């Protein structure tokens, strides 16, 4: 599903997708609901904090070293920041893909060439700087392989691309997902484009006809019983507030006029039948006061976890949250310089999950 977010007064198109949803068009878009696949052999990878394992489907010529043209440009900063966050979470590096670089750069140039400049994941044939219609079509035209890959795309402000996208709910979810490869394009003063691909196990997945989105299974999966978190343990200078400009907006109560930075938790999903259940979750500040907020879960996880709702924690069902993911949104902005400690307990399938970590607001 495509999302928009407003930066510096301009609407910029972004995307988020799950295994059962694909996006059509720009902005909110139209959705095609697909059946949830039953996967008996997803070829899921297990990630490390420093690299992705060798791909087991398709071919690859990529490296985790940025290509030379990125040196000294916003592209390098975006690539480095994205992989630094992913490594600190333990969800694995994204390998730089020359083909996705070409596709992303072509689309960034297309967006900037339109009058007025636009926010869209789709291109119109015959328009200035037309390359190919969809993120998937652009990746294939640029030579990405295999054709069974899932391709997803985010678009942000070129001046602070990764930082802006990580300060949301759905794009934080996407940039910390099980994707494996990445390409980045940028037009200074306008937009950056981040294209990601999920390859391993993709041929086993029921997918949109254009190959778009981030699937739930396959790709890079955390080891069984491990919970990746963002902000990660020890992270400092965490933005105090969340962007309120994602469209569609996360389903927050109307009283959340200045919510705090989202806290994301992610468990590996090996089988599509694996389901997250939260048995306890809470956040306290350095004054030992509980932080009030909502915990966004996919509908089945929300139903399974509803018993933990309390005066300070409300479970909210959100169909745009992927299975295996939970996102906590504080009711109010974090306090600058204050340290927060989060604690999570639950299960993913038959595996127990437990994590306690701390971070500091900027």
């Amino acid at each position: 599903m495509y999302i928009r977010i407003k930066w510096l007064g301009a609407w910029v198109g972004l995307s988020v997708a799950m295994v059962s949803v694909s996006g059509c068009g720009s902005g909110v878009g139209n959705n095609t609901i697909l059946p949830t696949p039953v996967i008996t052999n997803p070829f899921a990878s297990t990630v490390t904090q420093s690299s992705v394992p060798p791909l087991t489907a398709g071919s690859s010529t990529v490296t985790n070293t940025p290509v030379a043209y990125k040196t000294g440009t916003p592209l390098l900063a975006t690539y480095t920041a994205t992989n630094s966050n992913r490594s600190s979470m333990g969800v694995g590096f994204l390998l730089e893909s020359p083909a996705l670089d070409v596709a992303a750069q072509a689309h960034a140039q297309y967006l900037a060439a339109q009058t007025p400049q636009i926010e869209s994941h789709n291109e119109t044939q015959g328009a200035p700087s037309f390359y190919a219609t969809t993120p998937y079509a652009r990746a294939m035209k640029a030579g990405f392989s295999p054709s069974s890959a899932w391709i997803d795309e985010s678009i942000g402000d070129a001046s602070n691309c990764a930082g802006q996208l990580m300060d949301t709910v759905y794009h934080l979810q996407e940039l910390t997902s099980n994707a494996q490869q990445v390409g980045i394009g940028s037009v200074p003063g306008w937009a950056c484009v981040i294209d990601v691909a999920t390859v391993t196990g993709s041929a086993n997945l029921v997918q949109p006809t254009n190959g778009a989105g981030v699937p739930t299974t396959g790709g890079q999966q955390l080891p069984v019983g491990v919970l990746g978190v963002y902000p990660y343990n020890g992270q400092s200078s965490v933005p105090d507030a969340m962007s309120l400009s994602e469209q569609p907006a996360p389903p927050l109560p109307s009283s959340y006029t200045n919510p705090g930075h989202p806290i994301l938790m992610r468990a590996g999903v090996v089988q599509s039948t694996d389901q997250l259940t939260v048995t306890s979750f809470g956040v306290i500040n350095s004054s030992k006061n509980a932080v009030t907020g909502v915990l966004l879960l996919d509908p089945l996880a929300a139903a399974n976890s509803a018993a933990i709702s309390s005066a300070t924690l409300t479970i909210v069902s959100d169909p745009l949250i992927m299975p295996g993911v939970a996102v906590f949104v504080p009711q109010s902005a974090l306090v600058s310089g204050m340290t927060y400690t989060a604690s999570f307990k639950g299960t993913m399938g038959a595996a127990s999950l437990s994590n306690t970590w701390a971070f500091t607001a900027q």
Side-chain angles (χ1 to χ4, degrees):
M1 186 170 189
Y2 294 135
I3 308 297
R4 296 189 303 164
I5 189 165
K6 193 175 185 182
W7 298 114
L8 304 179
W11 284 104
V12 180
L14 303 165
S15 69
V16 62
M18 300 184 295
V19 73
S20 60
V21 179
S22 67
C24 302
S26 64
V28 174
N30 299 313
N31 300 324
T32 300
I33 304 302
L34 301 175
T36 300
V38 176
I39 302 167
T40 58
N41 187 12
F43 301 103
S45 303
T46 298
V47 304
T48 69
Q49 290 193 2
S50 60
S51 66
V52 288
L55 302 180
T56 59
S59 61
S60 174
T61 59
V62 302
T63 170
N64 60 0
T65 301
V67 294
Y69 78 83
K70 291 182 178 177
T71 303
T73 72
L75 299 175
L76 177 60
T78 299
Y79 179 88
T80 301
T82 300
N83 267 341
S84 176
N85 288 327
R86 289 181 61 94
S87 177
S88 296
M89 283 184 66
V91 296
F93 277 86
L94 295 172
L95 295 176
E96 180 269 332
S97 163
L100 290 182
D101 283 331
V102 170
Q105 185 63 33
H107 192 53
Q109 293 171 346
Y110 172 87
L111 295 175
Q114 308 312 304
T115 304
Q117 292 174 326
I118 63 171
E119 46 76 27
S120 176
H121 294 282
N122 290 345
E123 297 184 7
T124 300
Q125 191 165 6
S129 298
F130 172 80
Y131 187 73
T133 53
T134 66
Y136 178 81
R138 292 190 288 273
M140 295 302 112
K141 181 176 179 178
F144 190 87
S145 178
S147 61
S148 60
W150 286 57
I151 308 295
D152 204 23
E153 183 173 88
S154 292
I155 304 171
D157 188 330
S159 64
N160 183 25
C161 186
Q164 292 173 344
L165 297 176
M166 296 290 280
D167 193 25
T168 63
V169 171
Y170 303 128
H171 305 93
L172 172 59
Q173 173 179 245
E174 179 185 4
L175 291 183
T176 61
S177 71
N178 52 308
Q180 295 164 292
Q181 301 184 35
V182 66
I184 305 170
S186 179
V187 173
W190 178 232
C192 83
V193 175
I194 302 178
D195 286 346
V196 297
T198 308
V199 174
T200 307
S202 60
N204 299 78
L205 302 175
V206 175
Q207 64 187 94
T209 55
N210 67 353
V214 176
T216 297
T217 56
Q220 300 190 77
Q221 297 289 343
L222 285 160
V224 173
V226 174
L227 188 75
V229 299
Y230 187 89
Y232 51 81
N233 188 43
Q235 185 171 351
S236 59
S237 300
V238 175
D240 58 353
M242 183 189 83
S243 168
L244 294 177
S245 300
E246 268 190 316
Q247 296 296 326
L252 304 179
S254 59
S255 59
Y256 284 44
T257 57
N258 186 31
H261 189 285
I263 301 171
L264 179 141
M265 294 140 278
R266 177 182 294 277
V269 182
V270 175
Q271 301 293 334
S272 61
T273 53
D274 289 347
Q275 184 58 53
L276 181 69
T277 299
V278 185
T279 55
S280 68
F281 176 78
V283 180
I284 60 172
N285 60 27
S286 51
S287 298
K288 307 300 183 184
N289 296 319
V291 176
T292 299
V294 298
L295 189 64
L296 304 177
L297 297 168
D298 79 82
L300 185 55
N304 292 343
S305 307
I308 69 168
S309 286
S310 66
T312 57
L313 177 67
T314 304
I315 301 296
V316 174
S317 174
D318 183 353
L320 295 185
I321 297 296
M322 298 174 70
V325 173
V327 181
F328 176 75
V329 180
Q331 181 176 9
S332 303
L334 306 179
V335 178
S336 178
M338 182 165 283
T339 296
Y340 293 82
T341 301
S343 181
F344 178 102
K345 290 185 178 180
T347 60
M348 185 65 189
S352 296
L353 299 168
S354 180
N355 199 350
T356 298
W357 68 103
F359 57 89
T360 303
Q362 67 181 13

